[in-house]
């Protein structure tokens, strides 16, 4: 997420009103309405708008609708919701076009749409916190619509997109998901006559996993691509998922712990005087002393172990006893729970600058992220209101901003014998096939979900020639 630090706000309301409504006489019963056709291709709703951004007046057209994914013969397999923004007065055939999506897997693209790149965004507090509801949208001075037309895509099963119930296994996996986006893009380029536009992808979190696979899929499907933007990178899950024989995630997450501990004033002053220099030292220590200590396992000499514990405590702000208790390996949840334990606060996962008390029910919940707890209801409410009242898109379908049970939990990551899930090699393949393909990499310095040093590690190990490496920013 970009610049997200949020305040938790919970309001209870309407008991008296509900009782009054129950006692009041109501209208005569109406006949039951037919069920919503969840796979129908809706006619696009076109509206016209203008905003002020970077001192310029931007007049643009918004198009909201759903495209059906179906074979040449047979019923629809899925319906994909999209919101497209095109700048008025421009030659659309020559203007850059960027397809944008968030990740999860299982989240809609409300975050990049209403929080970062779209012409409108949810109004936040000055420091990025979520204000009290109701939420409002305002002009986004940081929109990139002045540089490129935008198409925000909700993944199958999220937002207003839907999948045929008997085909979830076809779509809820790395390759099937990439193929769905490939089919949507090919259809969109045809429907809206954009085959000559320079094409770009912009993915966030799992959306970067998708973007890497999709880039290669587009190349193999003979659809030219100019660039890929990756925000909060997850191209190789070996850097993100620790295991009994995989210590790499413990190694590459420490610099993020350092950034968050520094923000919360849990580091010694000499480490925060020049934080850039400190981070470089931490990365070097992780790649050398810490990596070697983890590799030695139980064979690590006691004196060396003591040195590692002391240094890790200094770089993370955690107590040496906790590091010993966790065998030198600190999971994100352990860090989140313990960094501010003396203040009875939990640190955020998607943005470690945010902290809040854990709910009383936390012992019954598998995971609690203070940042996400405030983020989801705010963006969900804002997106529903924006779609209906500004885009004019009206539907009885619920907007699925996050589907953990049916998508994330059911996601097929492939066979373990093939190794950790990764699409880094597919991005490498796409770059090898197209020597002009540019890649932009962006990371949040306080993001525990996709640590910035893990991203650096991934790209340092991408097998590319020096000339192709120049295409990565």
């Amino acid at each position: 997420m970009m610049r997200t630090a949020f305040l938790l706000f919970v309001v209870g309301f309407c008991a008296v009103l509900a009782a009054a409504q129950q006692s009041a006489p109501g209208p005569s019963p109406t006949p039951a309405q037919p069920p919503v056709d969840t796979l129908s291709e809706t006619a696009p709703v076109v509206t016209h708008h203008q905003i002020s951004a970077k001192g310029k007046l931007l007049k643009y057209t918004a198009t909201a609708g759903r495209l059906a994914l179906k074979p040449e013969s047979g019923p629809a397999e899925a319906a994909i919701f999209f919101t497209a923004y095109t700048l008025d007065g421009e030659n659309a055939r020559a203007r850059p076009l960027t397809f944008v999506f968030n990740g999860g897997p299982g989240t809609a693209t409300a975050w990049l749409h209403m929080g970062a790149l779209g012409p409108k965004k949810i109004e936040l507090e000055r420091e990025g916190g979520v204000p009290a509801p109701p939420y409002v949208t305002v002009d986004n001075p940081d929109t990139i619509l002045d540089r490129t037309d935008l198409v925000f895509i909700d993944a199958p099963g999220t937002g207003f997109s839907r999948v045929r119930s008997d085909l979830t296994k076809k779509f809820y996996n790395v390759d099937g998901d990439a193929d769905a986006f490939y089919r949507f893009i090919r259809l969109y380029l045809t429907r809206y006559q954009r085959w000559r536009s320079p094409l770009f992808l912009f993915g966030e979190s799992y959306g970067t996993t998708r973007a890497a696979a999709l880039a290669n899929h587009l190349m193999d499907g003979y659809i030219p691509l100019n660039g890929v933007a990756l925000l909060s990178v997850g191209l190789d899950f070996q850097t993100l998922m620790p295991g009994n024989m995989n210590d790499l995630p413990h190694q590459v997450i420490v610099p993020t712990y350092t950034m968050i501990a520094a923000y919360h004033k849990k580091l010694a002053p000499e480490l925060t005087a020049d934080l850039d220099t400190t981070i470089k030292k931490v990365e070097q220590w992780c790649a050398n002393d810490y990596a070697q200590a983890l590799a030695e396992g139980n064979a690590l000499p006691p004196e060396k172990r003591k040195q590692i514990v002391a240094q890790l405590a200094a770089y993370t702000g955690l107590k040496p006893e906790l590091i010993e208790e966790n065998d030198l390996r600190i999971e994100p949840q352990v860090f989140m729970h313990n960094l501010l334990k003396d203040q009875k606060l939990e640190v955020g996962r998607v943005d470690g600058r945010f902290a809040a008390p854990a709910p009383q029910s936390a012992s019954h919940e598998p995971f609690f992220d203070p940042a996400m707890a405030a983020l989801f209801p705010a963006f969900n409410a804002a997106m529903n209101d924006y779609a209906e009242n500004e885009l004019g898109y009206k539907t009885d379908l619920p907007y699925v901003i996050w589907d953990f049970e049916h998508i994330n939990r059911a996601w097929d990551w492939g066979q373990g014998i093939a190794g950790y899930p990764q699409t880094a090699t597919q991005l490498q393949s796409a770059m090898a096939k197209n020597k002009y393909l540019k890649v932009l990499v962006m990371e949040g310095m306080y993001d525990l979900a996709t640590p910035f040093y893990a991203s650096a590690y991934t790209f340092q190990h991408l097998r590319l020639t020096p000339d192709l490496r120049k295409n990565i920013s």
Side-chain angles (χ1 to χ4, degrees):
M1 309 296 172
M2 299 179 71
R3 292 184 293 181
T4 53
F6 296 91
L7 300 177
L8 185 60
F9 189 90
V10 181
V11 177
F13 185 58
C14 289
V16 176
L17 178 59
Q21 288 175 331
Q22 290 176 358
S23 61
S28 302
T30 56
Q33 297 297 313
V36 177
D37 183 358
T38 61
L39 295 181
S40 64
E41 181 168 305
T42 58
V45 180
V46 179
T47 52
H48 302 280
H49 312 262
Q50 66 180 37
I51 64 167
S52 178
K54 304 180 183 72
K56 294 167 53 179
L57 183 67
L58 299 182
K59 295 184 178 182
Y60 61 93
T61 298
T63 304
R66 298 202 309 174
L67 295 183
L69 303 185
K70 55 185 178 181
E72 292 187 12
S73 62
E77 299 178 336
I80 306 301
F81 177 73
F82 71 95
T83 306
Y85 299 100
T86 56
L87 200 62
D88 295 345
E90 299 285 334
N91 179 6
R93 295 185 67 197
R95 184 166 162 76
L97 179 64
T98 301
F99 294 97
V100 184
F101 36 82
N102 281 104
T107 65
T109 303
W111 325 108
L112 289 173
H113 190 171
M114 301 300 297
L117 305 181
K120 294 282 189 174
K121 68 174 183 178
I122 183 173
E123 185 175 35
L124 302 177
E125 295 176 336
R126 183 174 180 179
E127 296 301 319
V130 173
Y135 309 108
V136 298
T137 56
V138 296
D139 291 357
N140 181 12
D142 298 316
T143 182
I144 59 174
L145 182 58
D146 60 329
R147 301 297 184 91
T148 173
D149 289 342
L150 297 165
V151 182
F152 294 91
I153 309 169
D154 285 337
T158 75
F160 295 129
S161 299
R162 294 296 184 267
V163 174
R164 215 171 76 194
S165 59
D166 61 329
L167 293 177
T168 55
K169 289 186 177 180
K170 177 175 182 176
F171 290 95
Y172 296 163
N173 60 81
V174 177
D175 293 335
D177 173 84
D179 184 62
F181 274 76
Y182 162 80
R183 292 165 65 186
F184 171 87
I185 290 173
R186 180 183 56 77
L187 188 57
Y188 183 92
L189 295 178
T190 298
R191 291 280 182 92
Y192 293 93
Q193 302 177 6
R194 298 302 297 262
W195 279 95
R196 289 191 61 182
S197 293
L199 300 183
F200 297 84
L201 304 178
F202 193 118
E204 180 269 346
S205 191
Y206 180 82
T208 67
T209 316
R210 172 187 297 130
L214 178 57
N216 195 48
H217 199 351
L218 289 168
M219 293 297 303
D220 289 344
Y222 313 119
I223 297 179
L225 191 64
N226 292 74
V228 180
L230 306 173
L231 172 64
S232 302
V233 174
L235 297 191
D236 192 332
F237 282 68
Q238 188 172 356
T239 67
L240 305 175
M241 300 171 63
N244 187 44
M245 301 299 288
N246 181 29
D247 282 324
L248 182 57
H250 298 299
Q251 174 187 330
V252 296
I253 201 173
V254 173
T256 304
Y257 291 157
T258 303
M259 288 295 301
I260 296 172
Y263 179 84
H264 291 289
K265 297 179 172 54
K266 289 292 184 178
L267 297 186
E270 60 268 21
L271 292 177
T272 58
D274 185 349
L275 201 51
D276 288 341
T277 299
T278 294
I279 290 300
K280 290 179 181 177
K281 290 181 179 178
V282 175
E283 291 177 350
Q284 291 172 358
W285 179 80
C286 288
N288 294 283
D289 294 7
Y290 187 44
Q292 182 179 351
L294 294 178
E296 290 190 43
N298 294 332
L300 183 66
E303 190 59 34
K304 181 65 174 177
R305 182 184 184 92
K306 186 177 179 180
Q307 295 173 7
I308 295 297
V309 168
Q311 194 65 71
L312 191 55
Y315 285 154
T316 62
L318 300 176
K319 294 181 179 180
E321 304 81 47
L322 181 68
I323 293 172
E324 275 286 9
E325 181 183 332
N326 285 273
D327 196 26
L328 314 185
R329 297 159 175 83
I330 305 299
E331 300 274 1
Q333 291 89 335
V334 173
F335 180 83
M336 293 166 60
H337 182 66
N338 287 279
L339 181 68
L340 302 180
K341 192 174 184 179
D342 58 338
Q343 303 172 46
K344 298 182 180 179
L345 297 176
E346 298 276 329
V347 169
R349 177 173 178 259
V350 297
D351 190 333
R353 294 171 296 180
F354 187 82
Q360 292 296 318
S361 61
S363 60
H364 305 292
E365 296 178 7
F367 182 76
F368 171 68
D369 181 354
M372 294 173 69
L375 183 152
F376 277 94
F379 274 74
N380 182 57
M383 188 64 206
N384 272 278
D385 178 73
Y386 178 74
E388 182 173 0
N389 292 304
E390 293 205 42
L391 297 179
Y393 189 84
K394 302 182 185 300
T395 176
D396 288 338
L397 287 175
Y399 189 84
V400 181
I401 197 166
W402 169 231
D403 189 337
F404 180 80
E405 289 296 328
H406 299 103
I407 300 180
N408 188 280
R409 190 184 291 275
W411 198 263
D412 182 3
W413 291 103
Q415 296 182 347
I417 196 169
Y420 283 83
Q422 60 89 18
T423 57
T425 53
Q426 288 169 279
L427 180 62
Q428 184 275 338
S429 180
M431 295 181 71
K433 295 169 185 173
N434 177 5
K435 66 179 182 179
Y436 301 107
L437 181 64
K438 298 292 193 296
V439 177
L440 173 63
V441 183
M442 295 167 283
E443 288 294 342
M445 301 299 283
Y446 304 94
D447 180 0
L448 289 169
T450 57
F452 62 88
Y453 187 40
S455 174
Y457 185 95
T458 297
F459 280 92
Q460 288 166 4
H461 289 78
L462 214 56
R463 295 182 179 179
L464 294 169
T465 62
D467 285 342
L468 291 181
R469 284 192 176 279
K470 295 177 181 178
N471 289 342
I472 301 175
S473 300

